[in-house]
Amino acid sequence: MPFDAENLPALSEDCVPQPILGTAALAGRAYAAADPAAALSEAPVACLYDESIVQQLCFRKAEGMAVQARALAQNVLYRIRHPRPASAPLRLLALCAPGDLMVNTPLDFITNELDVRLDLLFLLPDQLLPAVLPDHDVAFCAVSEAAPPLLHHLIHLCARWPRPVLNDPRHLPLLARDTLSRALADAPGTCSPRAIAATRNMLHRHLQGVQPLPPLGAVDSAFPCLIRPLHAHAGTGLSLLNGDADLDAYLRLSLTDRFYLTAFQDYAGPDGLYRKLRIAFIEGRPHLCHMAVSRHWMVHYLNAGMTDSAAKRDMEAEAMDTFDIGFARRHAVAFDVLNRRLGFDYYSIDCAETPDGRLLVFEADTAAIIHMMDPPEVFPYKRPQMRRVFDAFGAMLRHGATRGINGTMVPRTGAIVPA
């Protein structure tokens, strides 16, 4: 049966999914150096699903994917066990895809801090939806990257869904690194380094002198450039190449066949430090979620030494305190272009500032982790900031629940309507 002819499920409050801990609770335990496996449920299928997360948190991705497949073969519907359940929560259903921790928006990091009941529905290839789903006030397309068959399914499904849907999947192709760089190439006030997809064969043909790589930067050369595996995140497999010798050495150590090459843009500040910001856009408004500071160009929050440096934390605290009147105001034009071209209700970017003052966009994503796990005694400024971010997300869900079907602004039956 074609996906667009698939019957939609009935919605009922009598449908109660199996409760799971989910990514946020298990990651929080791991972040606090507690054993996440010690908290697993005794319910067999729920335990399997949570075990798949534990395996990934322990850097055993293959094992985690195998366990997840076993869980989803038995059940595709789960409910996140809320740490503080409310009597009348907003009811959110997330449409998810099988895959690792970077495939779906990690909503429970946010909803666990709100009066929101979160259910997860996994869409499996060639498998029809359950006949009955939990009733909900609003749905959210949590899939962050989708192959063409799944994308086709999501687009048709969301267009016919019986409740309002946030994060229209039609925009997902824009998030690919090469597509995003082209989409922002002419954006005013923005630096979007050119990125291309490349195969191992293409790179070998360049090294053999058969077909040179296209130039990536302002000069007629592919170098310097960054290389990473096609679907890699969080710096996995990321390296800076300054010439053919670096490329040859990289390929000898890599086991993958498809890559992104991106022109390298130096973004060190006048003090020699690199600052990378994660900004969440919620209904178009930017919110600073963290700023990592490092002496190395490859900056990630966990490797930047933020916990060990009071000076770096002071920089981040000041950035959060002045964001609306500083960074956001300087890049208001660039932010407006991003919102108009990407079109999501919720997404985030990792970004910086170039020495000439432009917004340097590294990537845009709907699956970046926005969290409040940092210890408040070390990061006292973060909890108030993240509370504002989460409250904005909650307001977006309430607004979405009143959006209605086909653009009408009539609340659905049982929806939580903002006062």
Side-chain angles (χ1 to χ4, degrees):
M1 177 188 298
F3 286 133
D4 49 353
E6 181 180 10
N7 291 326
L8 293 175
L11 302 180
S12 171
E13 274 296 286
D14 294 331
C15 178
V16 180
Q18 291 202 29
I20 57 172
L21 289 170
T23 305
L26 293 169
R29 288 182 60 85
Y31 198 73
D35 179 10
L40 295 185
S41 167
E42 294 182 359
V45 179
C47 184
L48 267 182
Y49 181 85
D50 280 336
E51 173 64 22
S52 74
I53 297 173
V54 172
Q55 294 286 351
Q56 294 177 74
L57 292 172
C58 295
F59 305 103
R60 295 190 289 266
K61 179 178 175 180
E63 292 89 337
M65 292 299 91
V67 175
Q68 182 190 88
R70 290 168 55 200
L72 296 183
Q74 299 177 63
N75 189 45
V76 295
L77 186 62
Y78 299 91
R79 176 165 293 171
I80 299 292
R81 193 185 304 165
H82 199 291
R84 296 171 301 280
S87 58
L90 185 142
R91 303 167 300 173
L92 175 63
L93 177 73
L95 304 177
C96 303
D100 65 25
L101 298 179
M102 298 302 297
V103 165
N104 299 298
T105 310
L107 292 168
D108 49 335
F109 282 92
I110 303 175
T111 59
N112 282 357
E113 303 295 333
L114 301 171
D115 290 337
V116 172
R117 187 190 76 190
L118 175 59
D119 294 332
L120 309 180
L121 171 64
F122 285 86
L123 308 176
L124 301 187
D126 303 319
Q127 182 171 318
L128 297 178
L129 297 172
V132 182
L133 291 176
D135 200 359
H136 49 283
D137 303 311
V138 62
F140 187 102
C141 181
V143 181
S144 68
E145 52 186 70
L150 176 58
L151 182 62
H152 175 81
H153 188 192
L154 282 168
I155 290 172
H156 283 274
L157 201 59
C158 291
R160 301 168 56 236
W161 201 252
R163 295 290 183 262
V165 182
L166 297 173
N167 266 23
D168 191 330
R170 291 177 298 175
H171 305 303
L172 284 176
L174 288 171
L175 298 180
R177 292 180 189 272
D178 53 344
T179 308
L180 181 67
S181 72
R182 291 195 299 271
L184 300 178
D186 63 346
T190 303
C191 175
S192 177
R194 186 184 180 194
I196 61 170
T199 63
R200 178 177 289 270
N201 181 58
M202 175 180 169
L203 298 177
H204 277 308
R205 286 170 63 83
H206 165 79
L207 291 174
Q208 294 162 0
V210 176
Q211 184 176 0
L213 293 171
L216 293 175
V219 297
D220 189 21
S221 172
F223 303 104
C225 71
L226 302 174
I227 186 170
R228 56 165 56 82
L230 194 68
H231 296 294
H233 297 279
T236 302
L238 176 63
S239 187
L240 174 62
L241 307 179
N242 286 300
D244 287 350
D246 290 344
L247 175 58
D248 182 62
Y250 181 92
L251 292 176
R252 290 177 186 275
L253 296 175
S254 173
L255 299 177
T256 57
D257 292 317
R258 301 171 68 198
F259 308 89
Y260 280 123
L261 300 181
T262 306
F264 177 70
Q265 169 68 52
D266 193 2
Y267 61 102
D271 56 2
L273 297 175
Y274 293 88
R275 294 166 175 82
K276 189 166 84 169
L277 298 82
R278 175 160 296 171
I279 299 172
F281 289 84
I282 303 173
E283 295 185 294
R285 181 173 177 179
H287 302 264
L288 179 58
C289 297
H290 71 230
M291 184 182 80
V293 184
S294 175
R295 291 201 172 275
H296 194 273
W297 63 266
M298 194 193 321
V299 186
H300 294 284
Y301 203 82
L302 293 179
N303 72 12
M306 299 297 292
T307 302
D308 302 326
S309 172
K312 290 180 180 180
R313 296 196 300 275
D314 287 344
M315 294 178 199
E316 183 181 37
E318 182 180 8
M320 289 183 168
D321 187 51
T322 63
F323 180 73
D324 288 340
I325 61 173
F327 194 97
R329 184 172 295 177
R330 291 196 301 276
H331 299 295
V333 172
F335 286 171
D336 181 62
V337 172
L338 274 168
N339 285 324
R340 285 189 285 109
R341 295 189 182 179
L342 294 185
F344 291 103
D345 300 284
Y346 168 78
Y347 70 100
S348 65
I349 63 171
D350 284 348
C351 64
E353 280 183 309
T354 61
D356 62 3
R358 291 174 294 162
L359 178 74
L360 174 57
V361 179
F362 297 115
E363 64 178 316
D365 199 358
T366 61
I369 295 176
I370 306 300
H371 67 85
M372 198 158 57
M373 294 188 296
D374 295 301
E377 63 274 13
V378 181
F379 299 88
Y381 55 89
K382 273 199 169 178
R383 193 160 289 267
Q385 174 69 8
M386 297 314 296
R387 268 262 59 95
R388 289 189 286 269
V389 177
F390 295 163
D391 288 346
F393 192 91
M396 178 194 73
L397 295 179
R398 293 193 299 274
H399 298 158
T402 66
R403 184 180 296 174
I405 309 302
N406 298 324
T408 61
M409 296 299 290
V410 180
R412 302 297 296 181
T413 302
I416 308 300
V417 183

